[in-house]
Amino acid sequence: MPNTANDPNKKSWLPVDKNSDFPIQNIPFGVFLTRDDVITIGTRIGNTAIDLGALHQLGYFEGIPLTDDIFLQDTLNDFISDGKKTWRLVRNRISEIFDHNNPKLRENEDHKRIVLFSLNEIEMQLPVHIGDYTDFFSSKEYAANMQSLLNEGEHDILPNWLHIPIGYHGRSSSIIASGLPVYRPVGQILPEGASTPILKPSQSVDFELEMAFITTDANLLGESIPVDQAENYIFGMVLFNDWSARDIQKWEFIPLGPFLSKNFAGSISPWIVTMDALEPFRMDGPHQDPKPLPYLQFKGKKSFDINLEVDITPENGEAVTVTKSNFKYMYWNMAQQLAHHTINGCKINSGDMMGSGTITGPMANSCGSMLELTWKGEKPIKMKDGSSRTFIEDGDTVTLRGYCKNDSVRIGFGEVYNKLLPSSKKIIK
Amino acid sequence: MPNTANDPNKKSWLPVDKNSDFPIQNIPFGVFLTRDDVITIGTRIGNTAIDLGALHQLGYFEGIPLTDDIFLQDTLNDFISDGKKTWRLVRNRISEIFDHNNPKLRENEDHKRIVLFSLNEIEMQLPVHIGDYTDFFSSKEYAANMQSLLNEGEHDILPNWLHIPIGYHGRSSSIIASGLPVYRPVGQILPEGASTPILKPSQSVDFELEMAFITTDANLLGESIPVDQAENYIFGMVLFNDWSARDIQKWEFIPLGPFLSKNFAGSISPWIVTMDALEPFRMDGPHQDPKPLPYLQFKGKKSFDINLEVDITPENGEAVTVTKSNFKYMYWNMAQQLAHHTINGCKINSGDMMGSGTITGPMANSCGSMLELTWKGEKPIKMKDGSSRTFIEDGDTVTLRGYCKNDSVRIGFGEVYNKLLPSSKKIIK
């Protein structure tokens, strides 16, 4: 079935600014609370949010096999579980409904009143219930920087890294929506030169510029997903800020990996951009040498050209863009990550989330974390108010943005932003 | 409210063998499929399974604030979410209903026909939907053995281990019920002396003798659970076999910890034994030196005397008990684990599972894994058919058992058993 929604010449009857991340060629999926306090699944064109639950009740998805309540849910999991063919049918249909040549909804004021919302009338939610969350470590530049930063003088990438898309399990309960506050975590920290740790709020809260993909149900326990089919099980992508506490991480992470230094918060952008929408932005990834094992060898373009940037905005201050990177720098691609994840028969479910790992590019100003950008604090970043940052300070808002752009269309992810608040020091009653 | 169900003199009108793990003082909770293909929450006395959904519909829980469908669910999550007071009210009431002095159900043949099942009429399910699963690493003997086995000659425990209940995130989708097969995982393995990995079925599939506790909803993101309140948020415990592939683990685990070497399977026993039932078996744990940081300091007895053992049964062969250990050997207790897990504000949900880590005791025959028992294969274990084992072979069934016992009562966990099958080599269509 053709992916008709990508036609670059198509225009919507809804207003779309020329720099919008959400032209009619995007049609992402999200979950929002409406002005009437109803939770629904929706999409967005320009600055208009569209209630897909209402559209479905009004019959606009006639002919597509969907259960009655598929969009009247507080997560996208069931819709994602319907599979790639259904995602495409629905996205193509939305594209038709909002095509400027189609008068059906355009001329129906009653329906429009029910279906359309301005962004200030809605409250975006986490788009999926994340059953399991895995974070990869797939940027070679980041792996090299971390090796060098954590083991003074040691610059060589670890021997397994060039063969394995290294990943580890994260904690689903820590994944939060854009806009929610993040509390500075308290944890065990080993002071410089000490042999005994102390408990205190982290002094090195960092962002990690990542993207994440959301999967559908793929396999049974014991089954593998071949690399050339893996993309069929990826619904779409979001921006992901994998908040990190570097001082807690340094003391805890040997030998079983990061734990409390990560599971205080990770935040994702609210709109899942489908792989169909990203299709025009495929490209070749970095050359892989040594050649990966056969189960990781792939054909075709599996990387994506997605511009990424991070702003830090001090409380009542002005934003500074601290880094510009690109998803294309990832050494291991998503198909390889998913093929690797299941080579042992590990079960993948609808709504699982897989983070890319920090996306660091080859330039000094394309690093995906403060740890790298300031080289462990040696090179602080200047803010517009004259202050400087080595890590994130209380009151700072960190904003990740991402978009693809070619001569005819711009497909974006919007943003994920969260403000860092002081340690809550709350304990349960 | 008193925990009346623990009265050691109480007897049930249901038959209970004197060596049963499930006297009327136990009253564990599980989920099963009945002979009528209905999923229900239940308990067990002796070899009789009891349908709590049916008991509730028949009015036996009158006076206890429970929703109508609380037991007619395929997981215990909502019941666990009702909190400790409700768990105790329900367990006390079950104890009254089955008390041999109480004729109400005993003399009602119609009700008994609806409520009672023999074990061969039911099929046990996973008792909870596990949102997040964390595995700790809390046996000092195991930590020392692993340090010595993985870094030849290096015997010292890592410096952070004595301060932190080290833990890492596992994958919830890999947790399976007792009785299901486990497939030998395929993965990247670095042959001895080689510099390039190959892909093949693991040659060192191992068990890990663990227990796990199941939590209730505890805190909001950003809130900590104090060590002296932590046990209020623990519903109960199960046996846990954390299946592991040592050769895959060795090649993949630096620097982010075990991943595919673990997430092919972990299996738990079907009946969750409540902390109330385990109350008589509290004891002091190992002396902790150095003294932990204040947030990990506790008063009272927080360890539990739970005998543990593991059998290996070859296909068509006889079982050999390969190790006997005890939960009391754990250096870090569950209250410390939960207090540590939330000191950074990490959110804990109903149904989350926290594994103890391999439970190795101080004796050579109390090791919790084949890797330790055979000291990396140097000392194979003899089977009764004359064959020997360094790791688990295809067709072997691994069975974990656990029970507490004092002069008046035995409270047990039953068992978790799974057979290892050859690599399925299945790929999805």
Side-chain angles (χ1 to χ4, degrees), chain A residues 132 160 163-164 169 171-173 188 222-224 251 254 260 263 295 340 344 347 352 424 426 428, chain B residues 132 160 163-164 169 171-173 188 222-224 251 254 260 263 295 340 344 347 352 424 426 428:
Chain A
D132 277 301
N160 59 0
H163 298 278
I164 300 181
H169 301 121
R171 189 168 172 91
S172 302
S173 77
Q188 285 197 28
E223 287 180 335
S224 304
W251 172 236
I254 291 174
L260 299 193
N263 65 21
Y295 79 100
H340 179 66
N344 69 342
K347 171 101 181 79
D352 288 350
S424 76
K426 280 185 287 190
I428 54 164
Chain B
D132 276 300
N160 58 1
H163 298 279
I164 300 181
H169 301 120
R171 188 167 173 92
S172 303
S173 77
Q188 285 197 28
E223 286 181 337
S224 304
W251 172 235
I254 292 174
L260 298 193
N263 65 21
Y295 80 102
H340 179 66
N344 69 343
K347 171 101 182 77
D352 287 349
S424 75
K426 281 186 285 190
I428 54 164

Side-chain angles (χ1 to χ4, degrees), chain B residues 61-87:
Chain B
F61 293 111
E62 208 185 292
I64 302 177
L66 294 168
T67 56
D68 288 347
D69 61 349
I70 192 70
F71 296 125
L72 293 172
Q73 307 210 12
D74 57 3
T75 72
L76 278 156
N77 294 54
D78 285 354
F79 176 61
I80 294 173
S81 200
D82 282 346
K84 185 174 175 164
K85 189 177 161 190
T86 301
W87 314 332

